[in-house]
Every structure is written in structure tokens, then in C-alpha cells.
Amino acid sequence: MASAWWPYLTLALLSGLAVSGFPRSPFQLGKRSLPEGVTDGIEVYSTQISCKVTSRFAHNVVTTRAVNRADMAKEVSFDVELPKTAFITNFTLTIDGITYPGSVKEKEVAKQQYEKAVSQGKTAGLVKASGRKLEKFTVSVNVAAGSNVTFELSYEELLKRHKGKYEMYLKVQPKQLVKHFEIEVDIFEPQGISLLDAEATFITNDLLESALTKSFSGKKGHVSFKPSLDQQRSCPACTDSLLNGDFTITYDVNRESPANLQIVNGYFVHFFAPQGLPVVPKNVAFVIDISGSMSGRKLDQTKDALLKILEDMKEEDYLNFILFSGDVTTWKEDLVQATPENLQEARTFVKNIDDRGLTNINDGLLRGISMLNKAREEHRVPERSTSIVIMLTDGDANVGVSNPEKIQENVRNAIRGKFPLYNLGFGHNLNYNFLESMALENHGFARRIYEDSDANLQLQGFYEEVANPLLMNVELEYPENAILDLTQNSYQHFYDGSEIVVAGRLVDEYKDIFKADVKGHGAINDLTFSEEVDMKEMEKALQEREYIFGDYIERLWAYLTIEQLLEKRKNAHGEEKENLTAQALDLSLKYHFVTPLTSMVVTKPEDNEDRQDIADKPGEGPRGTSVVPSMALMTGYQPPQNAYFYVDGDPHFIIQVPEKDDALCFNIDEDPGTVLRLIQDPVTGITVNGQIIGDKRDSPDSKTRKTYFGKLGIANAQMDLQIEVTTEKITLWNGAAQSTFRWLDTVTVTQDGLSVMINRKKNMVVSFGDEVTFVVVLHQVWKKHPIHHDFLGFYVVDSHRMSAQTHGLLGQFFHPFDFEVSNIHPGSDPTKPDATMVVKNHRLTVTRGSQKDYRKDARVGTKVICWFVHNNGEGLIDGVHSDYIVPNLF
Ligand SMILES: *[C@@H]1O[C@H](CO)[C@@H](O)[C@H](O)[C@H]1NC(C)=O
Ligand SMILES: *[C@@H]1O[C@H](CO)[C@@H](O)[C@H](O)[C@H]1NC(C)=O
Ligand SMILES: *[C@@H]1O[C@H](CO)[C@@H](O)[C@H](O)[C@H]1NC(C)=O
């Protein structure tokens, strides 16, 4: 169910030790006073919750040890609440040193054994739905007097990113004092951990300071909670436990790179969550049930949530309200823009919504869908916008078309895969499977809204998840000959704060470069994020992680695959459904997952036929979700043979003159902070300016000081476009819309008349149309270098479309010009002859020198021989160099 969109890892430990009268044990201990922490004869002396998370994949083990201190046999039960999205992977029971292992069986087989066990009066373990996000696992066993018992339950889950973080939510409720109680969480994230927190609803200041520790550094995070017996008391003299409530761990990973690709033992996982992109405008049809059953609190909460949602609408968004009861009414005839005036009117409209009549889901949905289709066809909404339908109902259709299958068919045919449908089921008095199945087949998801005082917050929370689409039509691509068994790799949207995850298997012995591309349509432009991994290096790098969780990527892949198969199965029929079932079952058995198709059977070791306890997963299984990873590609930009103009280094300007097969060069020496005009073309509207930075010594002496370009501003006035490049990041402004990329990304951005390609840590290629191309080279120095900073080089590799009016320190050379060199003679440096140059009607003394072209390799560079013009290019450049100083970058 919808809970897969909640990345909570929820687990409740209810050590509620139910006690029931059992025949007296032959070994009576006689009367004695029982020690503390003993409830009705049963002492739970140890409870450990251990969570190991590697790359979002969580492996949890809950172990509880108890001893029967009573003088008769007692029934001890072990209850754990775990997230609905988790799969139990193991359960063992140890009584007096004898272990009863669990094994995963196909459900039908297990069910017979379960029934047999129950009919024989044996206790059986069961998993039941419990609360919003949890399932409760319960096992009871009869323990003889003086005997002890250990329960150990393992479960696994892929944590899903939700509103910018991963969340593990453990419900803790031991019900008695436990001598040794601990929660230990170890997180390993290859991208590095950026935040980690742990809190509990029951925690006091004392516990916070002395029992809870949390820390993270680099790739590792740790949380530990170990309250002593005294710290567990609800008051100093009390014998009941204050540990009762929610223990929540949240974390996120570094997002410097939009994606991360990991490959271990023949399996890969690709996480994708880009940051810094502008939000795609949305066209939202709110299709709201106002039938009689909604009256009262439900409708009030809905209205409250809609009012809050209106506050969050952005001016670029479009919306309408479609209210359905027995018939359909709408706020406006068509979608309208979320202007302040319209929003004001919308608020008044929402406040006045009244309930009435029956439930006509079919007509409500079809009206909303046709409105979105029409707005698109008539170009009344922005070209680059995305449409969504959000439908809320609290009951089943009972008027008009009320057959769920028929409604589903109508909706499918109306949407035709063009946009997602999100169904919100309010309360339990409805056919949730129908809502879920319909949403899934239309690329959305369903969410249950629990009837409670926070229903309005649940509704808002759902909206926040889909409020900020950053990319549309996201496709994740891998080398075709390299992969097998890929999980879902196309998503209609990437929403800010979430993450797309794709996993797959590699063909045997794939030892090449593994390249991953993620393509998507953004608010302004099309983007391709690329990554590349050298398989051999990756294997090596990942060995350090093996000890934490050896086969985690394989299990993550299996988890995701099963989850998606089960989801697909919900809308499948006939042979296809059988096929999906068979595949999901095979994987569940192979990887020991208790899914809706399998059960856990606990066997007495000495008697294979006598199964005692069974763990079962309720029918409403977990749903698949979006996950995405990605990797960095290093496509080296290949410069054309005759590149003409560039500035790099201290800043050295190089003007290549292909007609002469020679080059001119000059330096500009200016103070750090100065901005120089490199290119200005009034006709195409293109300008490029560069800002000078100094070295780390901050020396005022211009003789020894090194200066570089630390920041470049590339603007195209006609396109209302600005690109700011620093040694840290690249920021693109399309009008007011801002996209930010890091030098760690490999990404291609395309839009009408513009292409920007960032090659991770190397260079950036900017093209305006076919005939203007610039390359910015990133020079990275050792971070602790005593003198040098990172700096930038700027290369004009194609200037064909620049007009004859182009000017600037580089731009003035775009039009053909001539020079003559004569009188070559030895200079002050014997290796560098001087000469006389006639250029632009000036006679200059120049020196033979060389500079480097770093386009191919920012470290080594290719030598370029040139005639060096002294004194800041005096005589070569028009005017003097200070004429090129401008006040700011744009
Ligand atoms: C289940 O857990 C027990 C006890 O920790 C362990 O010995 C056994 O190998 C586990 N089984 C599986 C399939 O992981
Ligand atoms: C639990 O049982 C094992 C095996 O019978 C025994 O070694 C151990 O001491 C017992 N522990 C307690 C606390 O009774
Ligand atoms: C069922 O699965 C097999 C192999 O797993 C495949 O070849 C076949 O095409 C599938 N049939 C359907 C209807 O999906």
C-alpha cells in the first residue's frame, strides 16, 4: 500500500509478556521473592535492537531474552512491530539452548502447516496489520519453569527518501524494566552522511545526556541508546518503564553529486536525487468527494488542508477544484493560474464547500482529466509544465458508473499515460485496493488518510511530496550488453526531496567501464546526468564495505524487484499475473523474504514435520517506489583542431592565428577582485566577463603575485540567460529560474539555442546554437597547497556566429587581423628570442615564448608557441587594458 512512500522504518517492540495458566511444571522452585524486572514470573533480561544500514538498505535484528522465574510453565509472547514495507527474513526461537530455526515457505504450504499447528493447540506466530505504517509480529511459546527463551527476529527494508531524508522510526514499548536494553544503529553511506539525528517521544533530559549517543563522520553514522535499569523507571521509586513511544532516527547523505552508483559482486544500485534545479510548474486538478459521508470533521479537515495547500501554490501553477457528489460541480470552467487574485477567490470557494448527496467518482475524475487534457491541447498552460490529478474520496462509487473495473478503464483511456493520478482514500470505509490499483496503473500512487485529528496534516504532507517536481519523464539508461534484471528505470517525475533507485545484475565478468545516463525534462531545459565507473576500481573501493554487509546490493536488488513485481501483479491478469507471481515467489524463497506470497515456518529441530510457529505477511503488501541512482561519466571534450582564443593561467591570453600557423600571447596583471571584459557582442547579445583572484599569499607585490580567473560570467541577453561559473559550482539563470550544478556532476543541459555540458571535475562546454562554443576548464590544485587556489581557464573554440562588432580582450580578435614579425634576434633570455612585430599599426618588441593549452588535460596541457606582447598587451589590444575593467560580472 501507499506506505512505501513513507521512508519510515518503523518498528515497535512490545515485550508484552502475556501469561496464561499452564500446567505446573514438575520442577517447582518453591516460593521466593522475585527480583526486579520480573512481571508475573517472567523476567525479560535483555532486549537488543540492532540496525545496520548500508546504502539505504536496512538489516534489523531484534533479540529478546527472557527466563521463567515462576514455579510453573508460563506462556511467553514476543511482539515486534515492523514497517509494512519491510520483509521479515529470519526468525529463530531458542529454548534452553535448543534452537528452532525459521524457514521461508510458499504460503499455501505454510498455511496448511499453520492450520495443523493451530488445530493441535499449538501457538502460532502471525503478522497482522497494526496502525498506519506497522505490522505486528507475534509469537507465543510455552516456557517451563526455570527455563529461558531467546527470540530473534530479522527484517530488511530499503529506506526511501522522503522530504529530504531517510527516517527510521522505532516504536519502543518494553512494558517492564529490562536489565540490558539497547538500540544500536550503524549506518554506512558511501556518499557520506550529511545529517543524523535521533530522538524519542519518551526521552527525558537525563536519558538524553547519558543514555543516548549519536555521531557521524564521513561515511559512518552511529546511534546508541542504552538506558540503565534506573533510567528506565518512570519515577525514582517506580517499577514501571518510561520507555514507551517512538524512537526516530533521521539522516541524509551528501548531495554534492546528483547520483551515486555502486557495484558489488555482480550487482549494481544507482541512486539519483539531483539538487538545485528549478521547480517544474504544475497543473493540478483537485477532484474532491463532497458526498454526504464526508460531512462533519472529514470535510472540515479536507477544507483546512486545501486552504494550506493554496498557500503553497506557486504563481506559475494552474489549478481547479472539481467537486463530486451525485453530480459534479467545478470552481472554474477551466484550469486557472494561481495568481494572488485567483488564490484569494479559491480560498473563499473552499471555505464555502458543503457536503451533499452520493458518490460519483467516475464523473468527477473524468471531468478533472478532461480539463487537464484541454488546457494542454489549447496551450493554456506552459509548454514545460506537468499535470497531476489528486483525487480524494472516503467511500465507494454508488451512483453513475459504479463498477470499479469500468471506472478504471474509463480513467485509463482518458489519461493515456500522460500524467499521474494520485488517489487519497479517507478512512477505511472504501475499496482501497481499487484506488491503489487505479493510481498505480496511471503512474501515481494511493495513500490512505487515517481518520484522526491529524488528517489535515496527512493531506498536506502528501501534497508536499508531489508539490515540487524537478524533472519529468526521467529515464535511467545503462550499457545494454552489460545488464540483466533491471528494476524499474523510468519515472514520470522526480520530486524534490525524494530519490530514484534502480538496481540490476551485471552480466558475468563485465569488467569494462560502466556508464549510466539519467535523462529528464526540467522546468527550463532537458538534462542528462552521466556517470561512469571503472569496474575494477569500484570492486576494490567497495571491499572496505564488505565487512559491514557483504551482499547488501544483491539483497537490495532482490527486495526492489520483489516489491515491484508485487505491485505490477496488482493490475495483472491471467498468465501474466501467474508469471509475476511465480517470479516474485522464486525470489522470495531464494532470498528468504516473508512477502505476501510466503510465510515463515518455525520447525522443531528434532521433528521436521512438527512446525510450531508461523510468520505470515498480510495481503496488503509493500509497494514499490521510485528510487534512483546514477553515476558520473567522464566524457572528455575533444577540442576541434584549430582552436583560436583562450585565457588560462596567470591570466595568459592566447590568440591563435591559423592563417599564420602562429599565435600571440599577453598577460593582464590586475588586482584580485577586478572584473575584465573578455567578450562583448551587441548583435548576438553574448558577453563573457571574468573575475581575477589572487593566490593564497595575498601579496600586494604584483611581480611575484600569481593571479587567475576565479569566476566567469557568461550571459546571453537575447535569451535572458546568465551562467556564473566558479571553481565550486555552476549556476544557470533563465530569467528568475535558477539551476545549480557542482563540478562533481557530469550533466548535459539542453534547451532551445543552448547546450551546457559539465564534465565532472574537468571542464564545461557551453554552446549557443551551432556556431558559438566556449569551454571552461577547471584547474584543481591540492586543497592544502600553500600558494595556489583552484582556478578557471576560458577557451573560445567556435566564434563563427559572433558579429563583426564583437569586442573585449578576446572578442576583438575574432575578426581576421594581420601581423608581421621581423628582426628576430637574441633577447635577454637566450632561449627566448625577441623580435619586432607590426600589428594594428603598432611596432612592438615581442618575445618568443610558450603557453599551455589545457583543454584536453587540465594537468599536463599541450605546449603552444606564441609571440609574447609585453606590458599587458599594450599595442596589440585596442586601447589600454584598464579600458576592459567592468564593475561586475554581469
Ligand atoms: C537465521 O538466524 C539464525 C540465528 O541467528 C542463524 O543461525 C541462521 O543462519 C539465520 N538464517 C538465515 C537464512 O539467515
Ligand atoms: C539460559 O539458558 C542457557 C542454556 O540453558 C544457560 O546457559 C543460561 O545461563 C541461561 N540464562 C539465564 C539468565 O538463565
Ligand atoms: C512468463 O515468463 C517467461 C519467462 O520468465 C517469459 O518467457 C514469458 O514470456 C512470460 N509470459 C508472460 C505472459 O508474461
Side-chain angles (χ1 to χ4, degrees), residues 63-135:
T63 311
T64 285
R65 294 186 169 85
V67 56
N68 181 3
R69 298 222 183 273
D71 51 7
M72 60 172 131
K74 296 266 179 182
E75 184 169 273
V76 180
S77 56
F78 170 73
D79 300 327
V80 174
E81 286 187 47
L82 61 147
K84 284 176 180 168
T85 46
F87 293 143
I88 288 174
T89 57
N90 199 359
F91 176 71
T92 58
L93 185 63
T94 305
I95 302 176
D96 287 340
I98 300 165
T99 297
Y100 301 74
S103 56
V104 176
K105 301 279 167 185
E106 186 178 352
K107 203 165 208 169
E108 277 314 302
V109 175
K111 203 165 158 197
Q112 289 162 12
Q113 286 160 349
Y114 168 76
E115 276 158 6
K116 184 174 154 220
V118 171
S119 70
Q120 290 170 351
K122 300 212 167 96
T123 23
L126 254 192
V127 183
K128 290 178 228 148
S130 159
R132 294 183 184 174
K133 296 166 232 152
L134 299 176
E135 264 160 27

Side-chain angles (χ1 to χ4, degrees), residues 644 655-664 816-822 837-839 848 865 867:
Y644 301 105
I655 314 300
Q656 285 191 338
V657 188
E659 303 83 44
K660 298 251 169 206
D661 197 18
D662 208 340
L664 309 181
F817 74 105
D818 200 7
F819 66 88
E820 289 298 337
V821 175
S822 57
M837 175 186 287
V838 177
V839 60
R848 201 59 168 158
I865 306 293
W867 288 109

Side-chain angles (χ1 to χ4, degrees), residues 573-580 582-583:
H573 303 280
E575 192 196 341
E576 193 197 353
K577 183 163 187 160
E578 283 169 24
N579 229 347
L580 293 167
Q583 290 174 45

